[in-house]
Structures are given as C-alpha cells and as structure tokens.
Amino acid sequence: MSPAWWPVAVIAYATLLLATAAIVNATVKDPYMDEIFHIPQAQRYCNGDYWTWDPMITTPPGLYVISSSILTPFMQWLQQDLCTTAILRGTNIIFATGILVVVSRLLKVLHPGIESARLSLYALALGCFPVSLFYTFLYYTDTGSTFFVLLSYLLAKQRRYWSSGLIALVSLAFRQTNIVWLIFTAGISAVDILAVNKKSDDRSQALYNPSVDKATSIAQYLQSVQSLVILAITKLPQLIPRLSTFILSIGAFASFIYWNKGIVLGDHSAHVAGLHFPQLFYFISFLTFFALPFMVDSKIMKRVMQQLQTLSLSWFISAAAIASGIMYLIHNYTYEHPYLLADNRHYSFYLWRKLYKRHWSVRYLLTPIYMACGWLCYITIAPSVTVLFLLAFSAATALTLVPSPLLEFRYFIIPVYIFLVHIKVPSKFKNGLAIVLYLSINAWTIWMFLHKGFIWDSEIGRVQRFIW
C-alpha cells in the first residue's frame, strides 16, 4: 500500500510538469528540432489525414495516433483546433506522470517487504531522471515509448502475460527498437513461469538460476542457459499459450520488416545499422554517473575493499585481458556519426569535442574508467538479480545500442530504468539526495535550453537551443 502522501506527490509532480511546460511553451512557441516533423504529422492525423506521411520521419505513428485520439473528440465538441504545438506537447506530460505511477508499482512488485514510503520516494527520484524528464516538454516519442515498455514489464512481473504482450505491441508503434525490450520481457516472463517449478524434487524439472552474487564461475552461467533451454523445450505446451501475445507481436513486427524492407521508416540513409561497440562503454559511464547517488553504500564499498585486498596474479591477467578487449573494440569500432560532429545543439557534441577529440589517445586512456564503472554497476545489481536476468538485460542493452551509429543519450533511457528498478532500494536519505541532484540537473538543462540560445550563420533569425 502506498503512503498517504503518495497521491499528493503524484499531483505535485504533474503540476510541476505542467508549470515547466507552460514556461517552455511561452518561450519556445514554434516546433523545435525533430518537432518540425512530428507536429505537422500529428496535425494531419487530427484533421483525419492518415495517408500523408513525411518521409523524414523514421519512427511509427503511435504518438500521433494517441494524441489525435485524445484531442479529436474535444475538437468536435468545442469546434476548435486543439492540435497546437503546446497542446500536443502536453501528451508527454500524461506519459511522464504514467511513468512515475508505473515505476512505483513496479518497485512494489520487485521489492516486496520494503517500506512503502521508501519505495515511493525512490519512484519519485526515478521519475525525475533528467534525460527522460527533459523530453517530456517536447513532442518527441521517447516519453511514450518508455511508458509503454515499462508498463509491459510491470504487467509481466504481475504475471498478466497476455496484457503485457499487447502493451509491448503498442510500444512498437512508438519505436521499432522496442522489439528488443519486447523479446526481453517475453524472455523474463518465460523464466518466471518456469521458475514456479524450481522447488520440484525432480532436478530435471527445476530451473537453475542462482542470484548473480552467488554465481562464481562462467560454468554456472552456462548451466543456467542450458537449464532454461531444456526446461523451455520440455514445458513448451505450457509456455506458448501464456506468451501467445508476445509471439503474435513478434510475428506482426516481422511482417512489418518484410513490408517495409527494413526496420527504419522514412530516411534510411542517416540510420544505417552497424557495429558500434563503444556505445556500451558510453552507456556504462552514463549509467554510473546517474546511479551514483544510489551506489554509495557501505556494503558495496566494503565489497570493493575486500576485492582490492584479495588481488592475485589471475585477477591482473583477467583485468589485462578485459582492457585489451575494450581497447580492441575502441580501435576497430569507434564511429563518429556526421550528426555528432556537426550538430552543436546536443551535449554529446561538446562531450565528444572537449574530451574524445582532444587527443587520439583519450579514447584508450578512458579504458580503466569504463572498467571501474562496469564493475561498480555489476556489484550494485548482483545481489538483486539472477544470472538469467543479467544475461537477458545485457543482451537487450547491447542489441539496442550497438547497432546505432549515433551517440545520443535518449537511447539510454530504457536500460537505465530497467537497471535502476532492480537494484537494492536506496535509503530515504539517498533518495532525497538523488531528487535534489536530478532536479538541479533538470533546472540547469531547461534554463540552458530556454535562455542560452544561439544563432547559426546558415539560419539567421532562428534560435538554436541546447538539448540532451
């Protein structure tokens, strides 16, 4: 049960979003960046034109369908055009508030027995996650995409598998890459279904899936995968009916790929998939930065110190091998997308220019930082999840990020949320600290967006603004 103050907190959260949106809309009245494509397309839908499609739009029309479905009845009733830039942006305020509620319920499912006030405060902290919250105030697909992916995952953890599969299908209408999270959710659902028999006396009918902090060898990971495959084949007649909506959704997506001759709608040239492995290193650093308020824990620090005190020759050999592998991937698979190098409105542009472009050696010298971040994330989540979850999450994150040639922080939002809802629930103090940090970052980025605009020589009179 949620604490008595939780409904007030949700209302206050939504009110803060509305107030911030009003300030943004008063300053940025016209469509900005990708909104110049999204908003006219939504307005076509509001006017009943479902057949004209802007070829520059590369994502499906889920956002436009929902916005027009909400606004059209009111337009007919009031006899007034409501599909304005400001009102369309308001769609994402609904989704952002929905994310807060879904995260709150998801935490209760994943962490039973934890004090409700602590869970609710943690949900509030995650609801303030800066990159996600920033895009609430623009008419982008990210907020709706995140909402439906998390809702699908919540329903799966509640064992409402049919509903979860249908909601996952809706998430595909926002972003094609959500097929990865659909498969991830289906896989976790299969593990949960099969785990019901884990206490069976017949070991062949029991799923081997230890918690990560209890798995001390690669053999245990392989044994977990083998156990899952064998048991899934054995229990296939039980799995298929319960996961049928996931299977139908995957089939529908495959049909779309066949019809569209590829995953990207519209402009394919700027979204050519590749092997961009360093994306994983950027992500792990990004995740560590935003999870740091929750990671500063005496138990985690104690474990780090224990590891440092027991260093051996084999540890140094393993570390050297991992470092060599990271540097090999950096050397062979670093990709500088033209948008990253040319678009000085994104923070990633400045990160790349000020850090990675300072000297050719920098990208290699960051290897120890990537390793430290990876280890910190590992020991943070290890006590809370199983081997099969960690494998599924790692695979889903890699499949989402590695094919993307462009370093863009928006792509990190969903894996960050999935990671953070699973770690040990932080104390009230840490949650309060995170809320202050996140709100400070939000205030700064929104202030920069609104008040530090600049003019390109190629677009005189049009203000360019900083954005994640």
Side-chain angles (χ1 to χ4, degrees):
M1 181 178 293
S2 299
W5 53 263
W6 178 244
V8 176
V10 174
I11 293 172
Y13 178 84
T15 302
L16 178 62
L17 295 184
L18 287 169
T20 306
I23 296 171
V24 171
N25 290 325
T27 304
V28 188
K29 298 178 181 179
D30 297 323
Y32 181 68
M33 286 192 67
D34 289 3
E35 285 186 320
I36 64 174
F37 310 116
H38 294 310
I39 287 176
Q41 189 65 48
Q43 290 170 338
R44 294 186 192 100
Y45 276 47
C46 286
N47 293 326
D49 179 5
Y50 301 102
W51 308 110
T52 304
W53 184 261
D54 186 337
M56 293 302 294
I57 297 175
T58 58
T59 51
L63 179 61
Y64 322 132
V65 171
I66 289 182
S67 294
S68 60
S69 298
I70 293 172
L71 294 175
T72 298
F74 291 98
M75 290 171 61
Q76 294 175 345
W77 177 41
L78 298 172
Q79 295 296 304
Q80 184 178 350
D81 181 15
L82 300 178
C83 282
T84 62
T85 298
I87 294 177
L88 285 171
R89 288 172 177 168
T91 306
N92 281 334
I93 294 178
I94 299 172
F95 286 137
T97 306
I99 289 173
L100 176 64
V101 174
V102 167
V103 166
S104 171
R105 294 182 179 179
L106 186 54
L107 289 173
K108 289 178 174 62
V109 173
L110 295 173
H111 305 280
I114 301 296
E115 181 190 2
S116 60
R118 190 166 140 203
L119 289 171
S120 297
L121 197 61
Y122 187 37
L124 197 59
L126 297 185
C128 296
F129 173 51
V131 182
S132 178
L133 198 66
F134 182 89
Y135 284 98
T136 299
F137 308 112
L138 294 175
Y139 195 62
Y140 274 52
T141 61
D142 301 272
T143 313
S145 169
T146 303
F147 169 74
F148 283 110
V149 168
L150 292 178
L151 178 58
S152 173
Y153 191 58
L154 168 63
L155 292 169
K157 299 307 290 185
Q158 292 175 330
R159 298 188 179 276
R160 297 161 64 182
Y161 302 118
W162 279 26
S163 299
S164 176
L166 292 175
I167 293 298
L169 180 61
V170 175
S171 77
L172 295 180
F174 282 72
R175 276 189 178 277
Q176 302 93 312
T177 52
N178 286 341
I179 186 62
V180 173
W181 298 107
L182 184 155
I183 295 171
F184 164 81
T185 303
I188 295 299
S189 299
V191 170
D192 289 344
I193 293 169
L194 296 173
V196 172
N197 298 319
K198 66 181 178 181
K199 295 182 180 179
S200 171
D201 293 333
D202 182 1
R203 288 194 173 186
S204 66
Q205 298 298 309
L207 180 66
Y208 181 74
N209 188 24
S211 63
V212 173
D213 60 344
K214 298 294 191 299
T216 57
S217 68
I218 295 177
Q220 288 176 280
Y221 282 78
L222 296 176
Q223 185 180 349
S224 295
V225 174
Q226 182 185 42
S227 172
L228 174 64
V229 172
I230 293 173
L231 197 56
I233 293 173
T234 304
K235 301 292 184 181
L236 204 57
Q238 297 177 23
L239 287 176
I240 290 177
R242 302 181 77 174
L243 302 179
S244 56
T245 51
F246 287 104
I247 297 169
L248 290 173
S249 296
I250 293 170
F253 184 78
S255 300
F256 161 77
I257 295 292
Y258 177 79
W259 168 79
N260 189 55
K261 296 181 175 57
I263 192 171
V264 178
L265 283 168
D267 183 15
H268 294 248
S269 60
H271 297 82
V272 178
L275 292 175
H276 192 191
F277 288 106
Q279 283 272 45
L280 297 175
F281 312 141
Y282 311 146
F283 167 73
I284 206 72
S285 306
F286 176 93
L287 173 60
T288 302
F289 175 81
F290 282 105
L292 204 56
F294 312 123
M295 289 177 169
V296 181
D297 183 277
S298 58
K299 291 183 179 179
I300 293 176
M301 293 302 107
K302 183 179 179 180
R303 187 172 177 184
V304 170
M305 294 306 298
Q306 289 174 343
Q307 292 289 334
L308 292 176
Q309 291 171 3
T310 58
L311 297 183
S312 62
L313 179 61
S314 61
W315 186 93
F316 283 104
I317 293 173
S318 299
I322 293 171
S324 298
I326 290 174
M327 287 190 283
Y328 172 82
L329 294 175
I330 290 172
H331 181 74
N332 290 282
Y333 295 100
T334 295
Y335 182 75
E336 296 178 325
H337 195 283
Y339 289 177
L340 175 64
L341 300 175
D343 196 339
N344 64 346
R345 295 170 295 185
H346 290 278
Y347 291 121
S348 53
F349 169 88
Y350 297 95
L351 175 65
W352 196 263
R353 191 183 72 175
K354 300 286 187 179
L355 182 61
Y356 288 92
K357 295 289 284 185
R358 184 170 292 274
H359 191 269
W360 65 266
S361 63
V362 170
R363 62 186 65 181
Y364 302 103
L365 293 175
L366 290 173
T367 296
I369 294 177
Y370 297 147
M371 294 174 66
C373 290
W375 176 243
L376 192 55
C377 289
Y378 173 80
I379 62 176
T380 298
I381 202 170
S384 306
V385 299
T386 65
V387 164
L388 289 175
F389 172 88
L390 184 63
L391 290 174
F393 173 73
S394 301
T397 302
L399 288 171
T400 300
L401 300 179
V402 170
S404 173
L406 179 61
L407 169 59
E408 190 157 353
F409 298 129
R410 290 186 296 145
Y411 301 160
F412 298 164
I413 293 173
I414 291 175
V416 165
Y417 269 121
I418 297 294
F419 180 93
L420 291 179
V421 296
H422 280 90
I423 66 173
K424 176 186 173 183
V425 178
S427 66
K428 293 179 181 178
F429 173 77
K430 291 176 188 173
N431 287 325
L433 182 65
I435 290 172
V436 171
L437 174 64
Y438 285 2
L439 288 179
S440 299
I441 294 173
N442 281 315
W444 181 78
T445 52
I446 291 171
W447 182 83
M448 290 287 290
F449 177 71
L450 296 178
H451 301 294
K452 300 298 287 185
F454 54 96
I455 304 294
W456 282 348
D457 292 339
S458 59
E459 295 188 27
I460 300 298
R462 186 177 182 86
V463 178
Q464 308 300 330
R465 303 177 185 278
F466 293 109
I467 196 171
W468 278 105

